[in-house]
Amino acid sequence: MGKNRWLMALAAVGVHICIGSVYAWSVYVNPIKEEMNWTLTDVTIAFSIAIFFLGLSAALMGKFVERNGPKVSAIIAAVLFGLGTVGSGLAILMESKMLLYFFYGVVGGCGLGIGYIAPVSTLVKWFPDKRGLATGLAIMGFGFASAIWGPTIKVLISSIGLSTTFIVLGTTYFVIMFASALYLEKPEEGYLPEGFKKKVEAGHKTIKQDLAMLGLHEAVKTPRFYGLWLMLFINVTCGIAIIGVASPLLQEVLGVSALVAAAAVGLMGIFNGAGRIFWASLSDYLTRPIVYIIFFATQAVAFYTLPSIAEIIIFQVILYFIMSCYGGGFASIPAYIGDIFGTKELGAIHGYILTAWAAAGLVGPLIISMVKDATGSYSETLYVFSGFFGVALIISIAMLINIKSIQKKQDIAH
């Protein structure tokens, strides 16, 4: 009995929706501060370590994921992420900051990184006809997760207490991820879905040829690899910065109340998730290079105009558009990697490119706080990021020109 590729996508969502709970960390912040008498910095360090180890483990374990397959990798991710969350509960019980950093940050962070890349490279192989849609589905789960787990964490903490919440959720994550992992599997070499296969045979469809079939070590020697890295880095740096300061920014520029700002921030999560599936699916039709050019051209304008907009509805529309591009940037990258480097070591290359996420997680908030301290306003930081998008736009156009020239050479050779 062959496996169903849509169930494969569902299994990928199962893994991503659990590890995506890291985006709901802010819900834990106040309860931990109050119960442990720790500072905001003490508590935030746990989250920063987790994101850092996400990038690190994704880069170091990419080869392992390719070699051992998605099932083994996702099971390891389930064990590490489940253990990291349960261990965080024990750290709270023992009132140990270092244990929290170790379990949530290091152990959980490694589970995050391996869990993030394990299903994605597999889905690209199961959906040769709809690469963007497939990766968008899985990575959408990661984006939407905070909308599910945020309220759940709130309810659990008030009913069963902080440490028990970690233990209960850690066990839940393990069960969902382990069950999802058991279904994950690579398709056989050269797999084509039935309907698509018939259309190809009838001459109605052609199989899109990848630009090249490169392993990780060959890919990192190409300028295209660094182009992708920088594009993701800039998109995430600016997106993370907006996520971090959306509430005070809304209050400063529009003068809305903290409550209205909090509601707007909640909606941002929805657009972050929806953007992942929307943009990634659209990239199947418009092509990946064109979608990234749209991302950067529109966001350069959006960031530049945002501080001067006094109309709350227009301000929010632009803010949500930016969030959709932030999510879409994540979701379209794996398909873009497949297009230009092939699927031979997609997981490993994806892992290396995700180090841009870890770097952006450190740089984005830093730039915002430095510019804010220097100028006394959040609005000024947006002009800086608008300039960043200008640079990203140039890189994305250079990528398109580079890809076109290689395709031209290949056509002549054929």
Side-chain angles (χ1 to χ4, degrees):
M1 163 70 188
K3 296 213 167 178
N4 182 307
R5 65 186 190 145
W6 294 102
L7 287 178
M8 199 62 67
L10 190 64
V13 172
V15 172
H16 270 240
I17 218 146
C18 291
I19 59 175
S21 64
V22 71
Y23 272 171
W25 174 254
S26 58
V27 184
Y28 286 120
V29 171
N30 284 337
I32 295 176
K33 272 169 60 184
E34 284 155 20
E35 200 166 310
M36 299 288 112
N37 255 336
W38 295 345
T39 66
L40 176 61
T41 305
D42 288 339
V43 183
T44 308
I45 286 171
F47 175 76
S48 299
I49 296 171
I51 296 294
F52 176 74
F53 274 90
L54 184 161
L56 195 66
S57 59
L60 296 177
M61 297 296 284
K63 279 274 205 194
F64 176 90
V65 171
E66 288 298 341
R67 210 171 38 243
N68 296 283
K71 186 181 293 180
V72 173
S73 308
I75 288 172
I76 292 170
V79 172
L80 289 174
F81 193 69
L83 187 65
T85 312
V86 170
S88 303
L90 300 176
I92 298 292
L93 277 176
M94 295 166 74
E95 299 187 12
S96 165
K97 228 180 293 181
M98 286 306 145
L99 267 186
L100 181 68
Y101 297 163
F102 173 71
F103 277 114
Y104 196 85
V106 180
V107 179
C110 289
L112 264 171
I114 300 165
Y116 192 91
I117 57 174
V120 172
S121 59
T122 305
L123 277 191
V124 170
K125 290 165 191 159
W126 277 99
F127 286 83
D129 51 335
K130 296 186 180 85
R131 265 184 190 167
L133 170 73
T135 57
L137 273 172
I139 294 173
M140 172 191 74
F142 197 93
F144 274 136
S146 60
I148 296 164
W149 299 113
T152 309
I153 292 164
K154 237 185 172 63
V155 171
L156 285 176
I157 290 174
S158 55
S159 55
I160 59 175
L162 185 57
S163 58
T164 321
T165 297
F166 274 115
I167 292 163
V168 166
L169 285 179
T171 313
T172 309
Y173 298 150
F174 172 75
V175 171
I176 296 171
M177 288 172 75
F178 187 79
S180 302
L182 293 178
Y183 196 77
L184 290 173
E185 199 178 283
K186 280 184 189 166
E188 69 272 10
E189 205 56 50
Y191 164 81
L192 291 176
E194 271 313 305
F196 185 63
K197 201 175 179 175
K198 282 179 185 146
K199 284 178 184 165
V200 170
E201 284 163 2
H204 299 313
K205 290 261 186 194
T206 53
I207 301 169
K208 205 174 147 291
Q209 288 304 313
D210 295 328
L211 196 64
M213 259 299 174
L214 303 182
L216 174 64
H217 297 304
E218 298 147 319
V220 296
K221 289 176 186 153
T222 67
R224 293 185 298 288
F225 175 88
Y226 298 96
L228 282 185
W229 194 96
L230 284 167
M231 280 156 50
L232 185 64
F233 174 74
I234 292 173
N235 202 47
V236 178
T237 298
C238 304
I240 278 184
I242 273 278
I243 290 170
V245 301
S247 174
L249 182 74
L250 279 157
Q251 291 170 60
E252 180 192 295
V253 177
L254 297 175
V256 298
S257 69
L259 194 67
V260 171
V265 171
L267 270 173
M268 279 165 66
I270 305 287
F271 283 90
N272 178 359
R276 290 165 190 243
I277 190 77
F278 171 76
W279 287 109
S281 304
L282 191 65
S283 75
D284 283 332
Y285 299 98
L286 296 182
T287 73
R288 257 61 75 175
I290 297 293
V291 162
Y292 276 90
I293 289 170
I294 294 170
F295 281 159
F296 300 134
T298 53
Q299 285 187 95
V301 175
F303 270 74
Y304 191 78
T305 52
L306 213 47
S308 58
I309 288 168
E311 180 52 60
I312 187 161
I313 301 293
I314 300 169
F315 191 94
Q316 280 183 283
V317 166
I318 294 177
L319 196 61
Y320 299 145
F321 173 78
I322 290 168
M323 280 323 295
S324 82
C325 293
Y326 171 75
F330 272 121
S332 309
I333 276 281
Y336 204 157
I337 295 168
D339 294 347
I340 60 178
F341 298 125
T343 54
K344 191 165 85 171
E345 288 191 353
L346 197 149
I349 299 167
H350 188 208
Y352 262 52
I353 283 178
L354 284 181
T355 55
W357 183 5
L362 300 171
V363 175
L366 199 69
I367 293 174
I368 275 237
S369 51
M370 279 164 63
V371 178
K372 167 83 166 84
D373 290 343
T375 63
S377 114
Y378 284 112
S379 305
E380 298 296 324
T381 59
L382 297 185
Y383 297 129
V384 175
F385 290 126
S386 176
F388 276 5
F389 279 122
V391 174
L393 178 62
I394 294 164
I395 296 168
S396 61
I397 294 168
M399 287 282 284
L400 178 65
I401 294 165
N402 181 262
I403 290 165
K404 290 276 186 223
S405 74
I406 292 171
Q407 283 170 337
K408 210 170 185 173
K409 280 179 197 154
Q410 288 174 345
D411 291 343
I412 293 164
H414 290 314

